[in-house]
Amino acid sequence: MAAPRRDTFSFCTEPAPGRALEVRFIGGAKGKGLFATRNIQKGETIFVEKPVVSAQFLWNALYKYKACDHCLRALETVEENAQRLLGRPQVLPHPDQCSTRKDLHQHCPSCQVAYCSLECRKLAWDQYHRVLCLGASRQDPQHPLNKLQEAWRNIHYPPETSSIMLMARMVATVKQAEDKDCWIKLFSQFCSKTANEEEEIVHKLLGDKFKGQLEVLRALFTEALYDECLSRWFSPEGFRSLFALIGTNGQGIGTSSLSQWVHACDALELPPQEREQLDAFIDQLYKDIEKETGEFLNCEGSGLYVLQSCCNHSCVPNAETSFPDNNFLLHLTALEDIRPGEEICISYLDCCQRERSRHSRHKILRENYLFVCSCPKCLVQADDPDATSEEEEEEAEGEPDDAVLEDEMTDV
């Protein structure tokens, strides 16, 4: 049987005819959504999409998680990756199951940021890096871009879920573009609401508590990147909208030589005893890494994806995103059979969050994405208690007082 058809999308071209989906405008809080135009089989890759812009998280880069500055491909060999996470040398079986082409790696000749290939270096230079290249000022703490990044790190402690550099690359892309209006129109496709007036919800990082921090960021952003053709993005309200855009549309990206190696090892055909030994080795490796490094395993960042941003949320999704190519290429895969006319939904929550009560799920979605979920799971649980006793205790312990909140902006 032929493999299921896979549509590959670029942000600057229209998808090919006969694709598996279409964007429909729904109205109301959802705005628009993705709908199947044919039968989609469970396990089928519905589309592959590259981002309009993407960027590694600033704390992630500071802690030496090495990734291509353009596509976020991990630049370490699997043994280097394991050694950094473990804090000691580690010899791995089957190291050839993760190939890292260091012979292809490139650096910007001016500022020395690293790329996985000449192609990525050229793509970055042609789209945004001419504006953002720091040259000899890369280590100068007084350079406006360095001041902006330092302010973001001091305000937005890890784990990050977005980056001020997405906004910087949006501005730089427009500044470098010959057709500026085309790019501005493209960015305008993303939702940039700072509030949902119908539900009286304001984004958690745009409330009164954070006005001071946002104004600091806006001033530094303006100093580093101001352009007259984008003057509205630098106004107080325009900056808030830009901030809301990356907060509500930013898709997390994770790449890792180690995870590529594990997946490749899982696919090896081995004798039963050797398979058992390899699985036990991998299990112990992850336990050792967790003890040493915690959950921060990957080169992480975020990106803006045109099609993915049209996917509405469900607490019982029928599709999921992943990054199997070890770079920023997003794969949307069906979790179950999807019929023509059925909406394709993903979850904005991770697996653990989806298992929490309706009350807790709604709290996360309201604060971060400005809507009240009415998916089938939420409707069935409408009469459930607001929160379990365990969740109430966690929320009570996890709520800092206002004085601390004013100094911290976490989890866009």
Side-chain angles (χ1 to χ4, degrees), residues 182-235:
C182 178
W183 281 97
I184 293 172
K185 183 179 178 181
L186 178 61
F187 288 129
S188 71
Q189 293 181 36
F190 294 97
C191 172
S192 58
K193 291 193 302 182
T194 60
N196 180 338
E197 289 82 4
E198 290 179 18
E199 301 288 348
E200 298 182 350
I201 307 171
V202 177
H203 196 283
K204 65 185 289 186
L205 293 187
L206 299 176
D208 292 339
K209 289 186 177 75
F210 302 122
K211 281 183 178 176
Q213 286 87 343
L214 284 171
E215 189 53 35
V216 167
L217 285 173
R218 188 179 74 86
L220 292 170
F221 194 74
T222 301
E223 179 186 1
L225 294 162
Y226 184 79
D227 190 273
E228 186 62 35
C229 78
L230 292 172
S231 58
R232 60 189 177 85
W233 283 5
F234 295 90
S235 68

Side-chain angles (χ1 to χ4, degrees), residues 37-234:
T37 56
R38 61 168 173 81
N39 284 311
I40 299 173
Q41 298 174 8
K42 179 181 179 179
E44 180 178 343
T45 301
I46 302 168
F47 66 75
V48 179
E49 183 180 19
K50 66 179 179 179
V52 182
V53 289
S54 63
Q56 187 180 5
F57 292 146
L58 296 180
W59 279 106
N60 196 262
L62 193 66
Y63 283 115
K64 311 298 184 187
Y65 286 70
K66 298 176 182 177
C68 174
D69 198 58
H70 182 65
C71 79
L72 273 67
R73 182 181 298 279
L75 298 180
E76 299 169 305
T77 66
V78 63
E79 291 189 332
E80 288 171 338
N81 194 175
Q83 178 175 328
R84 177 171 54 76
L85 294 173
L86 287 168
R88 57 176 167 78
Q90 175 67 62
V91 177
L92 301 178
H94 307 288
D96 58 320
Q97 292 304 305
C98 178
S99 61
T100 304
R101 293 292 307 275
K102 291 199 171 189
D103 57 312
L104 298 180
H105 292 180
Q106 296 274 323
H107 290 81
C108 171
S110 297
C111 68
Q112 298 304 307
V113 298
Y115 299 98
C116 68
S117 64
L118 179 61
E119 179 186 14
C120 274
R121 193 185 95 184
K122 186 176 187 307
L123 287 169
W125 183 259
D126 290 345
Q127 183 182 334
Y128 56 80
H129 191 64
R130 286 203 305 273
V131 167
L132 299 179
C133 182
L134 293 172
S137 300
R138 190 179 183 199
Q139 303 300 327
D140 178 7
Q142 296 307 309
H143 189 283
L145 271 174
N146 284 332
K147 287 163 63 178
L148 175 66
Q149 293 180 71
E150 179 64 15
W152 175 265
R153 281 193 295 264
N154 287 336
I155 290 171
H156 194 104
Y157 299 108
E160 290 173 89
T161 53
S162 194
S163 176
I164 196 75
M165 293 311 294
L166 281 183
M167 296 163 62
R169 289 186 177 185
M170 289 170 66
V171 171
T173 293
V174 175
K175 290 177 76 167
Q176 282 191 205
E178 291 184 12
D179 189 345
K180 300 182 188 304
D181 289 340
C182 178
W183 281 97
I184 293 172
K185 183 179 178 181
L186 178 61
F187 288 129
S188 71
Q189 293 181 36
F190 294 97
C191 172
S192 58
K193 291 193 302 182
T194 60
N196 180 338
E197 289 82 4
E198 290 179 18
E199 301 288 348
E200 298 182 350
I201 307 171
V202 177
H203 196 283
K204 65 185 289 186
L205 293 187
L206 299 176
D208 292 339
K209 289 186 177 75
F210 302 122
K211 281 183 178 176
Q213 286 87 343
L214 284 171
E215 189 53 35
V216 167
L217 285 173
R218 188 179 74 86
L220 292 170
F221 194 74
T222 301
E223 179 186 1
L225 294 162
Y226 184 79
D227 190 273
E228 186 62 35
C229 78
L230 292 172
S231 58
R232 60 189 177 85
W233 283 5
F234 295 90

